[in-house]
Amino acid sequence: MQFDSVSKSSELCNLTRIVDQNEAGTRLEKFVCQNFRSVIISKKLCRECFKRGEILVNGKTAESARVLHKGDIIDLQINKLALKKDKLEMPVTTLLEDEYLAVVCKNAGVSIKNLQEGLAFVLDGGDGLVKEGKEYTCINKTQRAVNGLIIVSKTREIKTKLMTLLKSGSIRQSYRILCHGKFPSDDETFFHNHDPPFALQNITFTHSTSGEEKYITTLDIILHNPSAISSAGIQEYFVQANHPIIGSNSRSKELKSCKDKSLMMALLEVTFNHPITSEEIKVTINEPNKFENVRQRELKFFEKKKNETIKELRRYGIEITDQLDSEIIPTAYITGEKEFFKLRFFVSKDIMVPRPSTEYLVRAIIDLYLNKLNSGFWKDQGNDDDNMFSILDCGTGSGCILISVLHYILSQKVQLTKTISPHVFGFGLDTNSSALEIARKNAERHLKLFISDNNNYDFQKGDFTSLHNYELVHNKHFDVLVCNPPYLDIARSLPNGDPRNFEPPEALFAEESGYKFYRLLYETLEHSYAKKLDILKEDSLIILEVGNKMAEKVKEIFTGWECLKAIRDHQGFERCLIFTRNSSEINGTNVPAVAATSNGTTSSSTSSSPAPTAHSLFDAPFVASADQTVTTEISSAEEENKECTNEDEAGDLSSSQLTLRALVSTKEAGVIIGKAGKNVAELRETTGVKAGVSKVVQGVHDRVLSVAGTLDGVAKAYSLIAQTLLENPVNASPNSTPITPPPNAFTSVRLLISHNLMGTIIGRQGGKIKHIQDVSGARMVASKEMLPQSTERIVEVQGTVEAIRVAVWEIGKCLIEDNERGIGTVLYNPAIKVTSSYSTTRRNDYTTRTGNGTDFIRQRNDYHSNNRRQSNSNNSYDSTSIRTQNISIPADMVGCIIGKAGSKISEIRRLSGSRISIAKTPHDETGERMFTIQGSPEANEKALFLLYNQLENEKERRLSANANGGDSDA
């Protein structure tokens, strides 16, 4: 598209375009943004032009939502001064100004170029006109991402004098930064190697759990010499000193717990002598709020981890008398134990501490076993050798992988009545004799209850990189080979204070950028296949743990093996790879009673039907049959930052954030809040959650309890709420004292769960909800209907206080793991009152919705009965089925529903098929406006859904805007 005409005057910028055939049907606002980008650089500027009536179609002002046709002439008659003012992206505050110069405060996100262009709208009255003799120039310059003070000259003469002061070092600038690590302010050797071109002041340290360094440093940098460097140069210095500034650009480094794109750097003070009066000028500002927010957040996380460590140590009778520092030896080495897959394992300094990431390998093996079991894989096997499930654990260490799998299978968590179960055997290899002793000790601890002898496991000294030379594994036909090899790059040194410095380096580091042991394992397996040593079966699986961003290279190493599946961890990294040998690579491997078919599948020599392939066994999710009861293990809450994972992964589900709502009666709400808010205040203090109850609405019996915080905190909060309700029965007199309930007294909570997430909680064939009930001992009942004008359903949890805590934890875990399904949920609001009636022919069916679930169920039944009497079309229903519904909308929310030129309400009318009219004036003293909806039951319900969805989106937008408005650099 080309300009048909372009003309410019001193005040207006006139641009013209003609709509082509391929652009017909486009809305005007989109057309303008796409075709006038050189002038209209953002949607915000475009909307401002519409407000001023500067955009015309065929010579007439037009609305932004207008649909264009071929041949329409689009004219822009833009006021250049107004446009220039609009282009100033963020506000600037003037702190000092006279006729010669000014000092202004620039927020992060404003470039020096945009600031200089907009100075005419800030200085000398701010009318946008540069007066005769004036020339605005920014003297000291900072990056776009930096908050700070900028000195502005107003004339060319003053510019020359100020630039002379700057180059001579007579302008003193003080930056404040937050950098990673504990900056060595008194280390002479460090400063000999990294001599800074500035002075350092006011250095303070804050404990952190987000990175390897365990600290963040706040320090002030003073630039006052002739060779003063720029803000970019300051960043580069700290990168070279291995203490990068916190931020997200190429010369900074993010905090793992803070993905804020801001750079933690601000110019807080400038001092200089006035070039005319010689008076000393000193201007200072406070540091941006985001600096303190980051420090407090890091300190809060550190204190939480410290308290967890102290609690763990006290469990073993170990008291900490001195200040607990983040550099202490890992807790597991002090206590001698570590929790893994809900079992506690002995550990010592001779072995690596079990990691949460390794639990993915355990789950993968269990999934394979259960899928084989469910498919009837072992049902018709003819001899004992075939009726076996065997695991080879290479580099077993504490034995946590192998023992966790054996414990799961042998502890009868899978109850079998008709299905034949195989003999299960695990073989652990390690070159470390001390590790083998620990592994045998752990096996004795966890498996002795289920076996009379040691015919289910064996731990032997051996090198998994030379399996082809290790006769003990030859002709064993293992079903699974599992390995978590060392994979940290040996060239990478760990920072001081990293807990991994206490672990044996041979268990962590590998040469060849961390890939050495993957290559050696691949090579020894290839040798074993070439020699037909039958270590593995034809359809065996290899399950490997890999480091962050290592998966693709490991797949390349295992040439001739197919990667069936890559399992991602909670951070989204590929953590577990599952391989099977390509059928084309198998050359005559001698596996008893199993023969390879032409298509690569395997079949039993005693059965005419083919056995499941590795693909089908592992790809298909496990489904429990009617004569099986399956309980899936839940990974334990791990202290990942005290004992870092192999790749610095931090955080587990226990510390994940969650908001969980529940439905309570008015009386229950009173008990939860307590006198003068005492109970809810104690709840917040004890658990660290944010908790509140919706306001009382006359005639509404339900209120909504909201609890937000970490998963552990929310679960504990609901258990305390349940305890409070037991101690203070709602039918007791107001002044009665709390009672002491029986130890196993039952109560219930009614959780509000998005309809879209119910499948996550219930699971396939009810497996997940049954598991939650099994592990918690609670009973759960899920409602079939959604609550009025919402997409939430009730899940009632009944049981003891502890049962409710465990059940809520499990439910919260499901919600966190599948949180994307909850996007767009319309929240239940019992405070909204809706009147619903048939049209004049059905006045006797007038209903008032009070926010109670029974109202909705009754009306939904009416809808279903009426549906059978009407057409499916939204626009061609019989007049007797038309319903009229009225809803009240707060006055400040009406605009967001109507939209620009009625665009949003028109869209709701179109999608729902209902007629929607809006009262011009409020209907009562509350100021609320009445929306009247007319249409079929289905159309009205869809209209209500869309209206409430729009309301919730607007609420979220406003909350987000308020939250982001707190920082001075926002």
Side-chain angles (χ1 to χ4, degrees), residues 906-969:
S906 297
E907 187 73 3
I908 293 173
R909 288 170 177 148
R910 183 182 68 80
L911 291 173
S912 66
S914 290
R915 300 183 184 93
I916 305 174
S917 58
I918 307 168
K920 294 183 178 180
T921 58
H923 60 84
D924 58 23
E925 65 279 359
T926 64
E928 295 185 343
R929 301 262 293 276
M930 186 68 73
F931 279 52
T932 302
I933 307 171
Q934 290 181 311
S936 67
E938 294 87 350
N940 287 3
E941 281 296 323
K942 191 165 187 178
L944 286 170
F945 175 88
L946 294 170
L947 287 169
Y948 286 121
N949 194 42
Q950 187 64 31
L951 283 173
E952 290 302 323
N953 289 340
E954 178 64 14
K955 289 179 184 177
E956 289 293 330
R957 187 193 69 78
R958 294 184 184 184
L959 287 172
S960 176
N962 291 336
N964 294 332
D967 288 355
S968 63
D969 66 330

Side-chain angles (χ1 to χ4, degrees), residues 108 165 210 289 303 362 390 434 820 884:
L165 291 176
S210 293
N289 293 338
E303 291 294 332
V362 176
S390 54
S434 298
E820 290 185 359
T884 300

